[in-house]
Amino acid sequence: MKILFSAGELDKELNANTKIVLQLAEYMAQLGHTVAVCGICYYKPCEEMYNGVLLKKFSAPKVLVKASEAFEDFIAKGDRNALRGQFIKKHPFKSVFVAARYNAVYTEKAEQPLYLKQIKDFVKVFKPDVMVLPYKPINSFDRVINSDIAVPMVAYQMDPWGLHRIDNENCDAAVIEKECAAFDRAKHIFTTPVLLRQYRENDKYKKYTDKMTAVDFPNVKGRAIKKEKKSAIDFDAEYVNILFGGVVADSFRSPEYALKALAPLFDREEKIRLYFMGTNNSAVLDEYIKEYPNNVFFKEKVSADTALATMEKADVLFNISNKIDNQVPSKIFDYFAMGKPILNLQRIKNCPAAEYFAKYPLVYNLKEWAKADSEELKEFLYDGKNKKVGFDTVKELYKTATVEYVAQSMLAEFENIE
């Protein structure tokens, strides 16, 4: 079978959803299927083979590609956040184009029409039997599924859109209408378990549930750390080293409650340190870094292999669950696969991630609506140092979150598409 994933974006630094797409594509290729993944690329667009998968990196407008390449070259040997301001001062014209790629008007009016043109040309050459359309970015999904491409298309919904999305809290009627129109056209829809439960109870969506399959994020897998990759952080073995990996932002993933819970331990000079690695959009985090320079740290985003090596060296992994009732962070399955103790910040009572954490043997839940117990938290952290859950145990607990399970679920539905 020839399978084409429309990833939307295949940039130098892949987002979490694109990484998931590549994992599934690689596994399907290993089974003997011919698989391609395509997406817009702002950094050296090209066509290449990657672990048996054809990556077709479409070019964005050339002026934006050149500006993005200039930015990547400029920050190659330094801290991205620290050098961004310097780049703007030195290359103000190029900075405008780097910023333009994140503008909604540009995306809608320029990038997505170009993306559709390129994918239509690629389909004529690749001739897929089925196209898988992930939801992120939504515009790529919407453009392609509404096009005149004569190939069966299935939706792969990793994030909610019409219902309770972070930037659509009021369930805007136009967005729901747009999503339902897309569901009408899709031959099949892969969604998350929590979303499927909500769809079954929603009058606008329940009619689509017969062609929906629920799949977890396929991130529970054994991971080989490349020998040449070292930890991005030199952890002090005398401390309990807690690590958060990803985007931290006051708007939707605020660390404030956890920092307040840990502050009494920092004040008593307990041997506990908290590291954030990834992207910092949190003024709260900045305040705590200044107040507790020996306990709270931020490390700029690193490569996937280096991030993996850093997670392996940490003592405890820190998760901030979303403040939204139907969006489970894919990160938690990465954490489970590591087998490390997990400090989880649960921000709402009906958090959809709670059912997954309930099965994990080494977890401490900080509940944002309840008073934190510093002594209990301290005991968990000290006791958890050097503890680990075996991967075989994790795989048994979360077998529906393996690449094999999700890929096989998809392939079974592909076979039934007319």
Side-chain angles (χ1 to χ4, degrees):
M1 180 180 293
K2 299 187 77 172
I3 304 163
L4 174 60
F5 285 87
S6 170
E9 182 179 294
L10 281 175
D11 220 349
K12 187 178 182 182
E13 294 179 352
L14 302 178
N15 61 49
N17 288 354
T18 306
K19 291 175 184 176
I20 288 171
V21 167
L22 286 177
Q23 290 173 182
L24 294 172
E26 289 173 38
Y27 181 77
M28 291 177 184
Q30 290 171 14
L31 294 179
H33 299 284
T34 302
V35 188
V37 178
C38 63
I40 285 278
C41 181
Y42 285 90
Y43 188 80
K44 293 181 172 58
C46 65
E47 181 174 304
E48 61 184 350
M49 293 300 298
Y50 178 81
N51 293 343
V53 177
L54 174 62
L55 295 185
K56 183 66 176 180
K57 299 181 179 182
F58 299 145
S59 177
K62 290 183 179 180
V63 64
L64 271 78
V65 171
K66 289 183 178 180
S68 296
E69 288 180 349
F71 177 64
E72 292 294 340
D73 291 341
F74 186 82
I75 64 168
K77 296 182 180 180
D79 181 281
R80 177 178 294 262
N81 284 347
L83 293 177
R84 185 177 286 113
Q86 295 178 30
F87 180 78
I88 292 172
K89 289 180 180 179
K90 190 171 183 178
H91 304 286
F93 185 70
K94 290 179 180 177
S95 299
V96 171
F97 287 104
V98 172
R101 58 178 287 194
Y102 301 107
N103 181 275
V105 174
Y106 159 74
T107 299
E108 180 69 22
K109 301 298 183 181
E111 180 185 286
Q112 295 311 324
L114 177 61
Y115 181 78
L116 180 58
K117 179 182 183 301
Q118 292 179 98
I119 197 173
K120 289 174 77 170
D121 290 340
F122 183 64
V123 164
K124 293 175 183 177
V125 177
F126 186 68
K127 298 179 181 178
D129 299 303
V130 63
M131 290 178 63
V132 185
L133 309 181
Y135 252 46
K136 195 170 184 177
I138 183 66
N139 291 323
S140 297
F141 169 86
D142 180 58
R143 288 274 181 172
V144 177
I145 204 164
N146 287 298
S147 71
D148 57 357
I149 298 175
V151 175
M153 300 182 193
V154 301
Y156 184 19
Q157 184 182 37
M158 290 176 275
D159 290 329
W161 189 261
L163 289 180
H164 310 304
R165 189 174 163 82
I166 293 167
D167 53 6
N168 184 39
E169 293 179 350
N170 297 321
C171 301
D172 183 84
V175 175
I176 292 176
E177 182 179 352
K178 183 178 182 180
E179 184 173 56
C180 288
F183 282 178
D184 281 329
R185 294 176 176 84
K187 293 292 184 179
H188 199 80
I189 302 155
F190 295 96
T191 189
T192 64
V194 63
L195 278 168
L196 181 54
R197 291 197 293 267
Q198 290 192 354
Y199 284 144
R200 285 172 174 158
E201 298 173 355
N202 186 289
D203 289 338
K204 292 184 179 295
Y205 288 95
K206 65 173 64 174
K207 63 182 177 180
Y208 302 113
T209 56
D210 286 345
K211 60 177 180 179
M212 286 183 171
T213 297
V215 291
D216 283 315
F217 294 109
N219 288 4
V220 172
K221 63 176 186 176
R223 288 171 165 82
I225 301 173
K226 294 183 179 179
K227 292 182 179 179
E228 69 273 15
K229 291 298 179 182
K230 296 181 179 180
S231 171
I233 298 169
D234 293 325
F235 294 115
D236 189 331
E238 291 187 8
Y239 285 77
V240 177
N241 298 290
I242 310 167
L243 176 68
F244 172 90
V247 179
V248 57
D250 294 335
S251 58
F252 66 94
R253 198 174 290 149
S254 173
E256 183 172 13
Y257 184 87
L259 288 165
K260 286 182 177 179
L262 288 165
L265 302 180
F266 299 155
D267 290 334
R268 297 206 307 260
E269 298 185 356
E270 297 287 353
K271 295 287 187 177
I272 296 170
R273 285 178 169 171
L274 176 59
Y275 293 84
F276 291 82
M277 179 176 67
T279 302
N280 177 17
N281 294 322
S282 171
V284 170
L285 176 56
D286 290 338
E287 291 175 8
Y288 274 82
I289 291 173
K290 290 179 181 178
E291 187 172 356
Y292 297 100
N294 191 50
N295 301 98
V296 184
F297 306 88
F298 171 72
K299 175 68 179 179
E300 182 65 49
K301 185 187 296 183
V302 296
S303 70
D305 289 329
T306 303
L308 180 60
T310 310
M311 290 169 64
E312 183 62 37
K313 290 291 184 182
D315 299 308
V316 177
L317 300 176
F318 174 40
N319 175 66
I320 306 173
S321 288
N322 297 321
K323 200 170 185 179
I324 181 172
D325 68 3
N326 61 3
Q327 190 176 40
V328 177
S330 62
K331 180 197 323 295
I332 68 172
F333 298 99
D334 288 305
Y335 281 7
F336 295 151
M338 296 297 296
K340 299 277 185 173
I342 300 173
L343 175 61
N344 176 54
L345 174 54
Q346 184 175 338
R347 305 201 62 204
I348 55 175
K349 291 183 179 181
N350 59 337
C351 177
E355 62 184 278
Y356 295 100
F357 279 109
K359 297 190 291 184
Y360 193 69
L362 292 176
V363 63
Y364 185 87
N365 286 302
L366 283 171
K367 297 179 179 179
E368 198 162 291
W369 61 92
K371 184 177 180 180
D373 187 327
S374 296
E375 287 302 315
E376 191 176 84
L377 174 57
K378 170 188 168 182
E379 183 179 349
F380 168 78
L381 294 173
Y382 281 139
D383 187 56
K385 189 176 174 70
N386 300 320
K387 282 191 174 181
K388 194 167 185 178
V389 181
F391 181 71
D392 289 343
T393 299
V394 172
K395 192 172 181 179
E396 180 60 29
L397 288 172
Y398 303 102
K399 56 187 175 184
T400 60
T402 61
V403 175
E404 297 89 340
Y405 186 94
V406 175
Q408 293 286 7
S409 298
M410 287 187 167
L411 291 169
E413 293 300 336
F414 296 168
E415 294 289 345
N416 295 325
I417 292 176
E418 298 178 355

